[in-house]
Amino acid sequence: MKWVLGVDSGGSGLRFALGSTTPRETDGPGGVGGPGGVTVVATAASAEPVRTGPSGIDPGHLLAQLLPAVDTLLAQAGADTVSAVAVGAAGMATLGDGLRAELPGALERSLGVRRSALAADAVTAYAGALGQRPGAVVAAGTGMIALGTDLTSWRRADGWGHLLGDCGGGAWIGRAGLEAALRAHDGRRGGSPALLSRMRERFGPAPELPGLVYPRTDRPAVLASFAPEVARCAAVDPVAAEILSAAARHVAESAAAVCPPSGPCEVALTGGLFRLGAPLLTPLRAELAGQLPHATTVSAAADPVTGALIIAGALATDSLRLPHDPLLLHIPAQQDR
């Protein structure tokens, strides 16, 4: 048995999971209990998000939170060393240069860990949802990204942020709902009196909305906070219902773009956006059936921190099948395999 660590770093802080590998050769949900399967033993969390600096995500700040968490988790488990670490971080693909350059060496010096992986959060979401099987995952919350693999390479769609993409995500739905509210305020076509009423309740008079939204550094989250209001109105308001239908089309298009082109494809949906429930899921299932008739929609088996743990367990047992990628799943070249 080996001890392994999974880390999930996002906008709301960090989550840590310590697990033990098992020698069982039976498949289990999400790859847990499969070759190099992992049993979660202890967890911890920090509410402080990792800072970004000139080289992107700050490796020193991440390490400063990781090391005390590891000490606590090892003490809880009665363990002394960690064999492998996998870190999944939001923004890894575009802001991960500093982490890739510094964190593996720092982990080896601090913890004696020679095997590590640095992954985009979409990759750890994939591993948590589907394990190491081919397929596709849509991770949707404030933003939206789809990731798929045939276990040879990764295919990515969207995830370009709320100004350039994330089509169908929470910020996209919220922005569309607020636009419809403002159209109703102006008397333009396409407006929704129901959404205008919800907007006034949540944000105040319409003329004040731009001043409340544009200066905010957390603008995507502010926009996404209105998405549940769109979902609540959808049953009685055709404008709100059409916004969610359009969101479903965008999400299905991204899933279709990344699903392996040959053979059956499992598509897992993960992330807080899907808690909107039937107003989004009903049109989404219809869109997936139309755009991906060969695919099967499945429930995500586990969350991203468990996905990071699955990757760490696979590293520790030489059973990693997910494809390496310099930006999406970075495995330092000097590691023994």
Side-chain angles (χ1 to χ4, degrees):
M1 183 177 68
K2 297 180 179 181
W3 298 100
V4 294
L5 180 74
V7 181
D8 176 42
S9 174
S12 59
L14 292 101
R15 293 187 299 158
F16 308 92
L18 182 71
S20 61
T21 64
T22 66
R24 293 176 298 173
E25 294 297 325
T26 57
D27 289 328
V32 180
V38 182
T39 300
V40 178
V41 175
T43 61
S46 167
E48 183 179 3
V50 177
R51 294 189 296 261
T52 58
S55 62
I57 302 168
D58 186 339
H61 191 220
L62 192 153
L63 195 68
Q65 298 189 68
L66 184 151
L67 295 179
V70 173
D71 290 341
T72 299
L73 293 172
L74 288 175
Q76 289 176 0
D80 53 0
T81 60
V82 173
S83 297
V85 176
V87 178
M92 179 73 76
T94 53
L95 298 172
D97 288 348
L99 284 187
R100 285 184 284 270
E102 299 181 31
L103 193 61
L107 290 171
E108 184 169 359
R109 290 189 300 272
S110 303
L111 299 175
V113 176
R114 297 188 63 185
R115 297 189 177 194
S116 60
L118 304 180
D121 56 343
V123 171
T124 51
Y126 185 102
L130 292 179
Q132 299 198 76
R133 307 194 300 275
V137 167
V138 176
T142 297
M144 196 287 300
I145 186 171
L147 196 68
T149 184
D150 56 3
L151 302 185
T152 300
S153 62
W154 293 101
R155 296 163 65 96
R156 165 189 169 163
D158 214 334
W160 303 120
H162 76 291
L163 292 178
L164 300 176
D166 286 356
C167 298
W172 187 96
I173 292 171
R175 191 215 61 80
L178 291 171
E179 180 191 344
L182 293 174
R183 284 179 172 274
H185 171 78
D186 294 344
R188 290 180 288 152
R189 288 188 300 176
S192 165
L195 290 173
L196 176 60
S197 175
R198 298 278 186 166
M199 185 198 74
R200 287 170 172 160
E201 292 174 7
R202 188 170 188 86
F203 296 106
E208 297 179 6
L209 183 64
L212 295 173
V213 172
Y214 288 130
R216 296 284 291 264
T217 57
D218 60 344
R219 190 184 311 117
V222 175
L223 295 172
S225 72
F226 197 65
E229 304 296 341
V230 179
R232 292 185 186 102
C233 290
V236 296
D237 179 44
V239 174
E242 176 52 35
I243 289 171
L244 293 178
S245 293
R249 287 194 295 274
H250 286 306
V251 171
E253 286 166 358
S254 290
V258 303
C259 210
S262 60
C265 177
E266 292 180 308
V267 177
L269 307 177
T270 183
L273 182 71
F274 299 113
R275 289 197 290 269
L276 293 180
L280 175 63
L281 291 176
T282 297
L284 178 55
R285 292 190 183 103
E287 287 289 342
L288 288 171
Q291 296 190 40
L292 282 169
H294 66 290
T296 302
T297 303
V298 300
S299 299
D303 60 7
V305 71
T306 305
L309 201 59
I310 290 169
I311 293 171
L315 280 177
T317 55
D318 296 311
S319 59
L320 185 64
R321 300 195 301 275
L322 296 175
H324 300 187
D325 182 279
L327 298 181
L328 294 174
L329 181 54
H330 174 67
I331 312 295
Q334 71 271 22
Q335 293 183 170
D336 56 344
R337 303 278 173 83

